[in-house]
Coordinates of all heavy atoms in Angstrom, one line a residue:
M20 N 8.7 -7.1 -25.6 CA 8.4 -8.4 -26.1 C 6.9 -8.7 -25.9 O 6.2 -8.3 -25.0 CB 9.2 -9.4 -25.3 CG 9.4 -10.7 -26.1 SD 10.8 -11.7 -25.5 CE 10.3 -12.3 -24.0
K21 N 6.4 -9.5 -26.9 CA 4.9 -9.7 -26.9 C 4.5 -10.7 -25.8 O 3.3 -10.7 -25.4 CB 4.5 -10.2 -28.3 CG 4.6 -9.1 -29.3 CD 4.1 -9.5 -30.6 CE 4.1 -8.2 -31.5 NZ 3.6 -8.5 -32.9
I22 N 5.4 -11.5 -25.4 CA 5.0 -12.5 -24.3 C 5.7 -12.1 -23.0 O 6.8 -11.7 -23.0 CB 5.5 -13.9 -24.8 CG1 5.0 -14.3 -26.2 CG2 5.2 -14.9 -23.7 CD1 3.5 -14.5 -26.2
K23 N 4.9 -12.2 -22.0 CA 5.4 -11.8 -20.6 C 5.3 -13.0 -19.7 O 4.5 -13.9 -19.9 CB 4.6 -10.7 -20.1 CG 4.8 -9.4 -20.8 CD 3.9 -8.4 -20.2 CE 3.9 -7.0 -20.9 NZ 2.8 -6.2 -20.4
K24 N 5.9 -12.8 -18.5 CA 5.8 -13.8 -17.4 C 4.4 -14.0 -17.1 O 3.6 -13.0 -17.1 CB 6.6 -13.2 -16.2 CG 6.8 -14.2 -15.1 CD 7.7 -13.6 -14.0 CE 7.9 -14.5 -12.9 NZ 6.7 -14.7 -12.0
D25 N 4.0 -15.2 -16.8 CA 2.6 -15.6 -16.3 C 1.6 -15.6 -17.5 O 0.5 -15.9 -17.2 CB 2.1 -14.7 -15.2 CG 2.9 -14.9 -13.9 OD1 3.4 -16.0 -13.7 OD2 3.0 -14.0 -13.1
D26 N 2.0 -15.4 -18.7 CA 1.1 -15.6 -19.8 C 0.9 -17.1 -20.1 O 1.8 -17.9 -19.8 CB 1.8 -15.0 -21.1 CG 1.6 -13.5 -21.3 OD1 0.8 -12.9 -20.5 OD2 2.3 -12.9 -22.1
N27 N -0.2 -17.4 -20.5 CA -0.5 -18.8 -21.0 C -0.2 -18.8 -22.5 O -0.7 -17.9 -23.2 CB -1.9 -19.2 -20.7 CG -2.1 -19.6 -19.2 OD1 -1.3 -20.4 -18.7 ND2 -3.0 -18.9 -18.6
V28 N 0.6 -19.7 -22.9 CA 1.0 -19.8 -24.3 C 0.8 -21.2 -24.9 O 0.8 -22.2 -24.2 CB 2.5 -19.3 -24.5 CG1 2.6 -17.9 -24.1 CG2 3.4 -20.2 -23.7
L29 N 0.7 -21.2 -26.2 CA 0.7 -22.4 -27.0 C 2.0 -22.5 -27.8 O 2.3 -21.5 -28.4 CB -0.5 -22.4 -27.9 CG -0.6 -23.5 -29.0 CD1 -0.9 -24.8 -28.3 CD2 -1.7 -23.1 -30.0
V30 N 2.6 -23.6 -27.8 CA 3.8 -23.8 -28.6 C 3.4 -24.1 -30.0 O 2.6 -25.1 -30.2 CB 4.7 -24.9 -28.0 CG1 6.0 -25.0 -28.9 CG2 5.1 -24.6 -26.6
I31 N 3.9 -23.4 -31.0 CA 3.4 -23.6 -32.4 C 4.5 -24.1 -33.3 O 4.3 -24.3 -34.5 CB 2.9 -22.2 -33.0 CG1 3.9 -21.1 -32.8 CG2 1.6 -21.8 -32.3 CD1 3.6 -19.9 -33.6
A32 N 5.7 -24.3 -32.8 CA 6.8 -24.8 -33.6 C 7.7 -25.6 -32.8 O 7.8 -25.5 -31.6 CB 7.5 -23.7 -34.3
G33 N 8.5 -26.5 -33.4 CA 9.5 -27.3 -32.7 C 8.9 -28.5 -32.2 O 7.8 -28.9 -32.4
K34 N 9.8 -29.2 -31.4 CA 9.4 -30.6 -30.9 C 8.3 -30.5 -29.8 O 7.7 -31.5 -29.6 CB 10.6 -31.3 -30.4 CG 11.2 -30.7 -29.2 CD 12.4 -31.5 -28.7 CE 13.0 -30.7 -27.5 NZ 13.9 -31.4 -26.7
N35 N 8.0 -29.4 -29.3 CA 6.9 -29.2 -28.3 C 5.7 -28.6 -28.8 O 4.8 -28.2 -28.1 CB 7.4 -28.4 -27.1 CG 8.6 -29.0 -26.3 OD1 8.4 -30.0 -25.7 ND2 9.8 -28.5 -26.5
K36 N 5.6 -28.6 -30.2 CA 4.4 -28.0 -30.9 C 3.1 -28.6 -30.3 O 3.0 -29.8 -30.1 CB 4.6 -28.4 -32.3 CG 3.6 -27.6 -33.2 CD 4.0 -28.0 -34.7 CE 2.9 -27.4 -35.6 NZ 3.2 -27.7 -37.0
G37 N 2.2 -27.8 -30.1 CA 0.9 -28.2 -29.6 C 0.7 -28.2 -28.1 O -0.4 -28.3 -27.6
K38 N 1.8 -28.1 -27.4 CA 1.7 -28.0 -25.9 C 1.4 -26.6 -25.4 O 1.8 -25.6 -26.0 CB 3.0 -28.5 -25.3 CG 3.3 -30.0 -25.5 CD 4.5 -30.4 -24.8 CE 4.9 -31.9 -25.1 NZ 6.2 -32.2 -24.6
K39 N 0.7 -26.6 -24.3 CA 0.4 -25.4 -23.6 C 1.1 -25.2 -22.3 O 1.3 -26.3 -21.6 CB -1.1 -25.2 -23.5 CG -1.9 -25.1 -24.7 CD -3.4 -25.1 -24.4 CE -4.1 -25.2 -25.8 NZ -5.6 -25.3 -25.5
G40 N 1.3 -24.1 -21.9 CA 1.9 -23.9 -20.6 C 2.0 -22.4 -20.2 O 1.6 -21.5 -20.9
K41 N 2.4 -22.2 -19.0 CA 2.5 -20.9 -18.4 C 3.9 -20.4 -18.4 O 4.8 -21.1 -18.1 CB 2.0 -20.9 -17.0 CG 1.8 -19.6 -16.4 CD 1.1 -19.8 -15.0 CE 0.8 -18.4 -14.4 NZ 0.2 -18.6 -13.0
V42 N 4.1 -19.2 -18.8 CA 5.5 -18.6 -18.9 C 6.0 -18.4 -17.5 O 5.5 -17.7 -16.7 CB 5.5 -17.3 -19.7 CG1 6.9 -16.7 -19.7 CG2 5.1 -17.5 -21.1
R43 N 7.2 -19.0 -17.3 CA 7.8 -18.9 -16.0 C 8.8 -17.7 -15.9 O 8.8 -17.0 -14.9 CB 8.6 -20.2 -15.7 CG 8.4 -20.7 -14.3 CD 9.6 -21.6 -14.0 NE 9.3 -23.0 -14.2 CZ 8.8 -23.8 -13.2 NH1 8.4 -23.2 -12.1 NH2 8.7 -25.0 -13.4
F44 N 9.5 -17.6 -17.0 CA 10.4 -16.5 -17.1 C 10.5 -16.0 -18.6 O 10.3 -16.8 -19.5 CB 11.9 -16.9 -16.8 CG 12.1 -17.2 -15.3 CD1 12.3 -18.5 -15.0 CD2 12.1 -16.2 -14.4 CE1 12.6 -18.9 -13.7 CE2 12.3 -16.6 -13.0 CZ 12.5 -17.9 -12.7
A45 N 10.6 -14.7 -18.7 CA 10.8 -14.2 -20.1 C 12.2 -13.5 -20.1 O 12.7 -13.0 -19.2 CB 9.8 -13.1 -20.4
Y46 N 12.9 -13.7 -21.3 CA 14.2 -13.2 -21.5 C 14.2 -12.3 -22.7 O 14.5 -12.7 -23.8 CB 15.2 -14.3 -21.7 CG 15.2 -15.4 -20.7 CD1 14.4 -16.5 -20.8 CD2 16.0 -15.2 -19.6 CE1 14.5 -17.5 -19.8 CE2 16.1 -16.2 -18.6 CZ 15.3 -17.3 -18.7 OH 15.3 -18.3 -17.7
P47 N 13.7 -11.0 -22.5 CA 13.5 -10.1 -23.6 C 14.8 -9.9 -24.4 O 14.8 -9.7 -25.6 CB 13.1 -8.8 -23.0 CG 12.6 -9.2 -21.6 CD 13.4 -10.4 -21.2
E48 N 15.9 -9.9 -23.8 CA 17.2 -9.6 -24.5 C 17.6 -10.7 -25.4 O 18.4 -10.6 -26.3 CB 18.3 -9.2 -23.5 CG 18.9 -10.3 -22.6 CD 17.9 -10.7 -21.5 OE1 16.9 -10.1 -21.3 OE2 18.3 -11.7 -20.8
K49 N 17.0 -11.9 -25.2 CA 17.3 -13.1 -26.0 C 16.2 -13.5 -26.8 O 16.3 -14.5 -27.6 CB 17.8 -14.3 -25.1 CG 19.1 -14.1 -24.4 CD 19.4 -15.3 -23.7 CE 20.6 -15.1 -22.7 NZ 20.5 -16.1 -21.6
D50 N 15.0 -12.9 -26.7 CA 13.8 -13.3 -27.3 C 13.5 -14.8 -27.0 O 13.1 -15.6 -27.9 CB 13.9 -13.1 -28.8 CG 13.7 -11.6 -29.2 OD1 13.0 -10.9 -28.5 OD2 14.3 -11.2 -30.2
M51 N 13.6 -15.1 -25.7 CA 13.3 -16.5 -25.3 C 12.4 -16.4 -24.1 O 12.3 -15.5 -23.4 CB 14.6 -17.2 -24.8 CG 15.8 -17.1 -25.8 SD 15.8 -18.4 -27.0 CE 16.4 -19.8 -26.0
V52 N 11.7 -17.5 -24.0 CA 10.8 -17.7 -22.8 C 11.0 -19.1 -22.2 O 11.3 -20.0 -22.9 CB 9.3 -17.5 -23.1 CG1 9.0 -16.0 -23.4 CG2 8.9 -18.3 -24.4
M53 N 10.8 -19.2 -20.9 CA 10.8 -20.5 -20.3 C 9.4 -20.8 -19.8 O 8.8 -20.0 -19.2 CB 11.8 -20.5 -19.0 CG 12.0 -21.9 -18.5 SD 12.9 -21.8 -17.0 CE 14.6 -21.5 -17.6
I54 N 8.9 -22.0 -20.2 CA 7.5 -22.3 -20.0 C 7.4 -23.5 -19.1 O 8.2 -24.5 -19.3 CB 6.8 -22.6 -21.3 CG1 7.0 -21.4 -22.2 CG2 5.3 -22.9 -21.1 CD1 6.8 -21.7 -23.7
E55 N 6.6 -23.5 -18.1 CA 6.4 -24.6 -17.2 C 6.1 -25.9 -17.9 O 5.2 -26.0 -18.7 CB 5.1 -24.3 -16.3 CG 5.5 -23.7 -15.0 CD 4.2 -23.3 -14.2 OE1 3.3 -24.1 -14.3 OE2 4.3 -22.3 -13.5
G56 N 6.9 -26.9 -17.6 CA 6.7 -28.2 -18.2 C 7.0 -28.4 -19.6 O 6.8 -29.5 -20.2
I57 N 7.6 -27.4 -20.3 CA 7.9 -27.5 -21.7 C 9.4 -27.4 -21.9 O 10.1 -26.7 -21.3 CB 7.2 -26.3 -22.5 CG1 5.7 -26.2 -22.1 CG2 7.5 -26.3 -24.0 CD1 4.8 -26.9 -23.1
N58 N 9.8 -28.2 -22.9 CA 11.2 -28.3 -23.2 C 12.1 -28.7 -22.1 O 13.1 -28.1 -21.7 CB 11.7 -27.0 -23.8 CG 12.9 -27.2 -24.7 OD1 13.1 -28.2 -25.3 ND2 13.8 -26.1 -24.8
L59 N 11.7 -29.8 -21.5 CA 12.5 -30.3 -20.3 C 13.8 -30.9 -20.8 O 13.9 -31.6 -21.8 CB 11.7 -31.4 -19.6 CG 10.4 -30.9 -18.9 CD1 9.6 -32.1 -18.4 CD2 10.7 -30.0 -17.8
I60 N 14.8 -30.6 -20.1 CA 16.2 -31.2 -20.3 C 16.6 -31.9 -19.1 O 16.2 -31.5 -18.0 CB 17.2 -30.1 -20.8 CG1 17.2 -29.0 -19.8 CG2 16.9 -29.6 -22.2 CD1 18.5 -28.1 -19.9
K61 N 17.4 -32.9 -19.3 CA 17.9 -33.7 -18.1 C 19.2 -33.1 -17.7 O 20.1 -32.8 -18.6 CB 18.0 -35.1 -18.5 CG 16.6 -35.8 -18.6 CD 16.8 -37.3 -18.8 CE 15.5 -38.1 -18.7 NZ 14.6 -37.8 -19.7
K62 N 19.4 -32.9 -16.5 CA 20.6 -32.4 -15.9 C 21.1 -33.3 -14.9 O 20.3 -33.8 -14.1 CB 20.4 -31.0 -15.3 CG 20.6 -29.9 -16.3 CD 20.7 -28.6 -15.6 CE 22.1 -28.1 -15.6 NZ 22.2 -26.7 -15.1
H63 N 22.4 -33.5 -14.9 CA 23.0 -34.3 -13.8 C 23.3 -33.4 -12.6 O 23.9 -32.4 -12.7 CB 24.3 -35.0 -14.3 CG 24.0 -36.0 -15.3 ND1 23.8 -37.3 -15.0 CD2 23.9 -35.9 -16.6 CE1 23.5 -38.0 -16.2 NE2 23.6 -37.2 -17.2
A64 N 22.8 -33.8 -11.5 CA 23.0 -33.1 -10.3 C 23.9 -33.9 -9.3 O 23.7 -35.1 -9.1 CB 21.7 -32.7 -9.6
K65 N 24.9 -33.2 -8.8 CA 25.7 -33.9 -7.8 C 25.1 -33.7 -6.4 O 24.4 -32.7 -6.1 CB 27.1 -33.2 -7.7 CG 28.0 -33.8 -8.8 CD 29.4 -33.2 -8.7 CE 30.2 -33.6 -9.9 NZ 31.1 -32.6 -10.3
A66 N 25.3 -34.7 -5.6 CA 24.8 -34.6 -4.2 C 25.5 -33.5 -3.4 O 26.7 -33.5 -3.4 CB 24.9 -35.9 -3.5
K67 N 24.8 -32.6 -2.9 CA 25.4 -31.6 -2.0 C 24.6 -31.6 -0.7 O 23.4 -32.1 -0.7 CB 25.2 -30.2 -2.6 CG 26.1 -30.0 -3.9 CD 25.8 -28.6 -4.4 CE 26.3 -28.5 -5.8 NZ 25.7 -27.4 -6.5
P68 N 25.1 -31.0 0.3 CA 24.3 -31.0 1.6 C 23.0 -30.4 1.4 O 22.0 -30.9 2.0 CB 25.2 -30.2 2.5 CG 26.6 -30.3 2.0 CD 26.4 -30.4 0.5
Q69 N 22.9 -29.3 0.6 CA 21.6 -28.7 0.5 C 20.7 -29.3 -0.6 O 19.5 -28.9 -0.7 CB 21.8 -27.2 0.2 CG 22.4 -26.8 -1.1 CD 23.9 -26.7 -1.0 OE1 24.5 -27.5 -0.3 NE2 24.5 -25.8 -1.7
V70 N 21.2 -30.2 -1.4 CA 20.4 -30.9 -2.4 C 20.3 -32.3 -2.0 O 21.3 -33.1 -2.1 CB 21.1 -30.8 -3.8 CG1 20.3 -31.5 -4.9 CG2 21.3 -29.3 -4.2
K71 N 19.1 -32.7 -1.6 CA 18.9 -34.1 -1.2 C 18.9 -35.1 -2.3 O 19.5 -36.1 -2.2 CB 17.6 -34.2 -0.4 CG 17.6 -33.6 0.9 CD 16.5 -34.1 1.8 CE 16.5 -33.5 3.2 NZ 15.7 -32.3 3.3
Q72 N 18.3 -34.7 -3.4 CA 18.2 -35.6 -4.5 C 19.4 -35.5 -5.5 O 19.5 -34.5 -6.2 CB 16.9 -35.3 -5.3 CG 16.5 -36.5 -6.1 CD 15.3 -36.0 -7.1 OE1 14.8 -35.0 -7.0 NE2 15.0 -36.9 -8.0
A73 N 20.2 -36.5 -5.6 CA 21.3 -36.5 -6.6 C 20.8 -37.3 -7.8 O 19.8 -37.9 -7.8 CB 22.5 -37.1 -5.9
G74 N 21.6 -37.2 -8.8 CA 21.3 -38.0 -10.0 C 20.8 -37.1 -11.1 O 21.2 -36.0 -11.2
I75 N 19.8 -37.6 -11.9 CA 19.3 -36.8 -13.0 C 18.0 -36.0 -12.6 O 17.1 -36.6 -12.1 CB 19.0 -37.7 -14.2 CG1 20.3 -38.4 -14.6 CG2 18.4 -36.9 -15.3 CD1 20.1 -39.5 -15.6
I76 N 18.1 -34.7 -12.8 CA 16.9 -33.9 -12.6 C 16.4 -33.3 -13.9 O 17.2 -33.1 -14.8 CB 17.1 -32.8 -11.5 CG1 18.4 -31.9 -12.0 CG2 17.4 -33.4 -10.2 CD1 18.4 -30.6 -11.3
E77 N 15.2 -33.1 -14.0 CA 14.6 -32.4 -15.2 C 14.3 -31.0 -14.9 O 13.8 -30.6 -13.9 CB 13.4 -33.2 -15.6 CG 13.7 -34.5 -16.3 CD 12.4 -35.0 -17.1 OE1 11.3 -34.8 -16.5 OE2 12.6 -35.5 -18.2
R78 N 14.6 -30.1 -15.9 CA 14.3 -28.7 -15.7 C 13.9 -28.2 -17.1 O 14.3 -28.7 -18.1 CB 15.3 -27.9 -15.1 CG 16.7 -28.1 -15.7 CD 17.6 -26.9 -15.3 NE 17.2 -25.7 -16.0 CZ 17.8 -24.6 -16.0 NH1 19.0 -24.5 -15.4 NH2 17.4 -23.6 -16.7
E79 N 13.2 -27.1 -17.1 CA 12.9 -26.5 -18.4 C 14.1 -25.7 -18.9 O 14.8 -25.1 -18.2 CB 11.7 -25.5 -18.2 CG 10.4 -26.1 -17.8 CD 10.1 -26.1 -16.3 OE1 11.1 -25.7 -15.5 OE2 9.0 -26.3 -15.9
A80 N 14.1 -25.7 -20.3 CA 15.1 -24.9 -21.0 C 14.3 -23.8 -21.8 O 13.2 -24.2 -22.2 CB 15.9 -25.7 -21.9
P81 N 14.8 -22.6 -21.9 CA 14.0 -21.6 -22.7 C 13.9 -22.0 -24.1 O 14.7 -22.7 -24.7 CB 14.9 -20.4 -22.5 CG 15.9 -20.7 -21.5 CD 16.1 -22.1 -21.5
I82 N 12.8 -21.5 -24.7 CA 12.6 -21.7 -26.2 C 12.3 -20.3 -26.8 O 12.0 -19.3 -26.1 CB 11.4 -22.6 -26.5 CG1 10.1 -22.1 -26.0 CG2 11.7 -24.0 -26.0 CD1 8.9 -23.0 -26.6
A83 N 12.5 -20.3 -28.1 CA 12.3 -19.0 -28.8 C 10.9 -18.4 -28.7 O 10.0 -19.2 -28.8 CB 12.7 -19.1 -30.3
V84 N 10.8 -17.2 -28.5 CA 9.5 -16.6 -28.3 C 8.7 -16.6 -29.6 O 7.5 -16.7 -29.6 CB 9.6 -15.1 -27.8 CG1 10.1 -14.2 -28.8 CG2 8.3 -14.6 -27.2
S85 N 9.4 -16.7 -30.7 CA 8.7 -16.9 -32.0 C 8.0 -18.2 -32.2 O 7.2 -18.4 -33.1 CB 9.7 -16.6 -33.2 OG 10.8 -17.5 -33.1
D86 N 8.4 -19.2 -31.3 CA 7.8 -20.5 -31.4 C 6.5 -20.6 -30.5 O 5.9 -21.7 -30.4 CB 8.8 -21.6 -30.9 CG 9.9 -21.8 -31.9 OD1 9.8 -21.3 -33.1 OD2 10.8 -22.5 -31.6
V87 N 6.1 -19.5 -29.9 CA 4.9 -19.6 -29.0 C 3.9 -18.5 -29.4 O 4.3 -17.5 -30.0 CB 5.3 -19.5 -27.5 CG1 6.3 -20.5 -27.1 CG2 5.7 -18.1 -27.1
M88 N 2.7 -18.8 -29.0 CA 1.6 -17.9 -29.3 C 0.9 -17.6 -28.0 O 0.6 -18.6 -27.2 CB 0.6 -18.5 -30.3 CG 0.5 -17.6 -31.5 SD -0.6 -18.5 -32.7 CE -1.3 -17.0 -33.4
L89 N 0.5 -16.4 -27.7 CA -0.3 -16.1 -26.5 C -1.7 -16.7 -26.6 O -2.3 -16.7 -27.6 CB -0.4 -14.6 -26.4 CG -1.2 -14.1 -25.2 CD1 -0.4 -14.2 -23.9 CD2 -1.5 -12.6 -25.4
I90 N -2.1 -17.3 -25.5 CA -3.5 -17.7 -25.4 C -4.2 -16.6 -24.7 O -3.9 -16.3 -23.5 CB -3.6 -19.1 -24.7 CG1 -2.9 -20.2 -25.4 CG2 -5.1 -19.4 -24.5 CD1 -2.8 -21.5 -24.7
C91 N -5.2 -16.1 -25.4 CA -5.9 -14.9 -24.8 C -6.8 -15.4 -23.6 O -7.5 -16.4 -23.7 CB -6.8 -14.3 -25.9 SG -8.0 -13.1 -25.3
G92 N -6.7 -14.6 -22.5 CA -7.4 -14.9 -21.4 C -8.9 -14.6 -21.5 O -9.7 -15.1 -20.7
K93 N -9.2 -13.8 -22.5 CA -10.7 -13.4 -22.7 C -11.4 -14.4 -23.6 O -12.5 -14.9 -23.2 CB -10.7 -12.0 -23.3 CG -10.1 -11.0 -22.4 CD -11.1 -10.4 -21.4 CE -10.5 -9.6 -20.3 NZ -9.5 -8.6 -20.7
C94 N -10.8 -14.7 -24.7 CA -11.5 -15.6 -25.7 C -10.9 -17.1 -25.6 O -11.4 -17.9 -26.3 CB -11.5 -15.1 -27.1 SG -9.9 -14.9 -27.8
N95 N -9.8 -17.2 -24.9 CA -9.2 -18.5 -24.7 C -8.7 -19.1 -26.0 O -8.5 -20.4 -26.1 CB -10.3 -19.5 -24.1 CG -9.7 -20.2 -22.9 OD1 -8.5 -20.0 -22.6 ND2 -10.4 -21.1 -22.3
K96 N -8.3 -18.3 -27.0 CA -7.8 -18.8 -28.2 C -6.4 -18.3 -28.4 O -6.0 -17.3 -27.9 CB -8.6 -18.3 -29.4 CG -10.0 -18.9 -29.5 CD -10.8 -18.4 -30.6 CE -12.2 -19.0 -30.7 NZ -13.2 -18.1 -31.1
P97 N -5.6 -19.1 -29.1 CA -4.2 -18.6 -29.5 C -4.4 -17.4 -30.3 O -5.1 -17.4 -31.3 CB -3.6 -19.8 -30.3 CG -4.5 -20.9 -30.1 CD -5.8 -20.4 -29.7
A98 N -3.7 -16.3 -29.9 CA -4.0 -15.1 -30.6 C -2.7 -14.3 -31.0 O -1.7 -14.4 -30.3 CB -4.8 -14.2 -29.7
R99 N -2.7 -13.7 -32.1 CA -1.7 -12.7 -32.4 C -1.9 -11.5 -31.5 O -3.0 -11.2 -31.2 CB -1.7 -12.3 -33.9 CG -1.4 -13.5 -34.8 CD -0.2 -13.1 -35.7 NE -0.5 -11.9 -36.5 CZ -1.1 -11.9 -37.7 NH1 -1.6 -13.0 -38.2 NH2 -1.3 -10.8 -38.3
V100 N -0.8 -10.9 -31.2 CA -0.8 -9.8 -30.2 C -0.7 -8.5 -31.0 O 0.2 -8.3 -31.8 CB 0.3 -9.9 -29.2 CG1 0.3 -8.7 -28.2 CG2 0.1 -11.2 -28.4
G101 N -1.6 -7.5 -30.7 CA -1.4 -6.2 -31.2 C -1.2 -5.2 -30.1 O -1.2 -5.6 -28.9
Y102 N -1.1 -4.0 -30.4 CA -0.9 -3.0 -29.4 C -1.9 -1.8 -29.6 O -2.2 -1.5 -30.7 CB 0.5 -2.4 -29.4 CG 1.5 -3.4 -28.9 CD1 2.2 -4.1 -29.8 CD2 1.8 -3.6 -27.6 CE1 3.2 -5.0 -29.4 CE2 2.7 -4.5 -27.1 CZ 3.4 -5.2 -28.1 OH 4.3 -6.1 -27.6
K103 N -2.3 -1.3 -28.5 CA -3.1 0.0 -28.6 C -2.8 0.9 -27.4 O -2.3 0.4 -26.4 CB -4.6 -0.3 -28.7 CG -5.3 -0.5 -27.5 CD -6.8 -0.5 -27.8 CE -7.7 -0.5 -26.6 NZ -9.1 -0.7 -26.9
T104 N -2.9 2.2 -27.6 CA -2.6 3.1 -26.5 C -3.9 3.4 -25.8 O -4.9 3.7 -26.4 CB -2.0 4.4 -27.1 OG1 -0.9 4.0 -27.9 CG2 -1.5 5.3 -26.0
L105 N -3.9 3.2 -24.5 CA -5.0 3.4 -23.6 C -5.2 4.9 -23.4 O -4.3 5.7 -23.7 CB -4.9 2.7 -22.3 CG -4.7 1.2 -22.4 CD1 -4.5 0.6 -21.0 CD2 -5.9 0.5 -23.0
Q106 N -6.4 5.3 -22.8 CA -6.7 6.7 -22.6 C -5.7 7.3 -21.6 O -5.4 8.5 -21.8 CB -8.1 6.8 -22.0 CG -9.1 6.7 -23.1 CD -10.6 6.8 -22.6 OE1 -10.8 6.5 -21.5 NE2 -11.5 7.3 -23.4
D107 N -5.1 6.5 -20.7 CA -4.2 7.1 -19.8 C -2.8 7.1 -20.4 O -1.8 7.4 -19.7 CB -4.2 6.3 -18.4 CG -3.8 4.9 -18.6 OD1 -3.4 4.5 -19.6 OD2 -4.0 4.1 -17.6
G108 N -2.6 6.8 -21.6 CA -1.3 6.8 -22.3 C -0.5 5.6 -22.2 O 0.5 5.5 -22.9
R109 N -1.0 4.6 -21.5 CA -0.2 3.3 -21.4 C -0.4 2.5 -22.7 O -1.5 2.6 -23.3 CB -0.7 2.5 -20.2 CG -0.2 2.9 -18.9 CD -0.6 1.8 -17.9 NE -2.0 1.6 -17.8 CZ -2.6 0.4 -17.7 NH1 -1.9 -0.7 -17.6 NH2 -3.9 0.3 -17.6
K110 N 0.6 1.8 -23.1 CA 0.5 1.0 -24.2 C 0.0 -0.4 -23.8 O 0.6 -1.0 -22.8 CB 1.9 0.8 -24.9 CG 1.8 0.8 -26.4 CD 3.3 0.8 -26.9 CE 3.3 0.4 -28.4 NZ 4.7 0.1 -28.8
A111 N -1.0 -0.9 -24.3 CA -1.5 -2.2 -23.9 C -1.5 -3.2 -25.0 O -1.6 -2.9 -26.2 CB -3.0 -2.0 -23.3
R112 N -1.4 -4.5 -24.6 CA -1.5 -5.5 -25.6 C -2.9 -5.8 -25.9 O -3.7 -5.9 -25.0 CB -0.8 -6.8 -25.1 CG 0.7 -6.6 -24.9 CD 1.3 -7.9 -24.5 NE 0.7 -8.4 -23.3 CZ 1.0 -9.6 -22.7 NH1 1.8 -10.4 -23.4 NH2 0.5 -10.0 -21.6
I113 N -3.3 -6.1 -27.1 CA -4.6 -6.5 -27.4 C -4.6 -7.8 -28.2 O -3.6 -8.1 -28.9 CB -5.4 -5.5 -28.3 CG1 -4.7 -5.1 -29.6 CG2 -5.7 -4.2 -27.4 CD1 -5.6 -4.4 -30.6
C114 N -5.7 -8.6 -28.0 CA -5.8 -9.9 -28.7 C -6.4 -9.6 -30.1 O -7.4 -8.9 -30.2 CB -6.8 -10.7 -27.9 SG -7.5 -12.1 -28.8
R115 N -5.8 -10.1 -31.1 CA -6.2 -9.8 -32.5 C -7.5 -10.7 -32.8 O -8.1 -10.5 -33.9 CB -5.1 -10.2 -33.5 CG -4.0 -9.2 -33.4 CD -3.9 -8.4 -34.7 NE -2.7 -7.6 -34.8 CZ -2.7 -6.3 -34.9 NH1 -3.8 -5.6 -34.8 NH2 -1.5 -5.7 -35.0
V116 N -7.8 -11.6 -32.0 CA -9.0 -12.5 -32.2 C -10.2 -11.8 -31.7 O -11.2 -11.5 -32.5 CB -8.9 -13.9 -31.6 CG1 -10.1 -14.7 -31.8 CG2 -7.6 -14.6 -32.2
C117 N -10.2 -11.4 -30.4 CA -11.4 -10.8 -29.9 C -11.3 -9.3 -29.7 O -12.3 -8.6 -29.4 CB -11.8 -11.5 -28.6 SG -10.6 -11.2 -27.3
G118 N -10.1 -8.7 -29.8 CA -9.9 -7.3 -29.7 C -9.8 -6.8 -28.3 O -9.7 -5.6 -28.0
E119 N -9.9 -7.7 -27.3 CA -9.8 -7.3 -25.9 C -8.4 -7.0 -25.5 O -7.4 -7.5 -26.0 CB -10.4 -8.4 -25.0 CG -11.8 -8.6 -25.2 CD -12.7 -7.6 -24.5 OE1 -12.2 -6.9 -23.6 OE2 -13.9 -7.5 -24.9
V120 N -8.3 -6.1 -24.5 CA -7.0 -5.8 -23.9 C -6.5 -7.0 -23.1 O -7.2 -7.6 -22.3 CB -7.0 -4.5 -23.0 CG1 -5.7 -4.3 -22.3 CG2 -7.3 -3.3 -23.9
V121 N -5.3 -7.4 -23.3 CA -4.7 -8.5 -22.6 C -3.7 -7.9 -21.6 O -2.7 -7.3 -22.0 CB -3.9 -9.5 -23.5 CG1 -3.4 -10.7 -22.7 CG2 -4.9 -9.9 -24.6
E122 N -4.0 -8.1 -20.3 CA -3.1 -7.5 -19.3 C -1.9 -8.5 -19.0 O -2.0 -9.7 -19.2 CB -3.8 -7.3 -18.0 CG -4.9 -6.2 -18.1 CD -4.3 -4.8 -18.3 OE1 -3.0 -4.6 -18.2 OE2 -5.0 -3.9 -18.6
Ligands
ZN131 ZN1 -9.1 -12.8 -27.3

């Protein structure tokens, strides 16, 4: 998948369009990502001994990876991701804007 955990991304579609955040979890098998502070849903939580706060809690719900774009750490722009093979044989992601390898 083109987006990984800890990537900074820009949401380009849907109701969170234009927001930026850091990927908290990636779900490659579903092509979904969960992003910090994006797509919050309200959940009702019951009071349990280990949960002090009962009532409504907010948490992130995953969104489709096709709705986000990687923000390149080198040029700081939303970038399409390409791939290239490094000299040691590893496949690396590259930023299509500046051409730099994105780790
Ligand atoms: Zn770049």
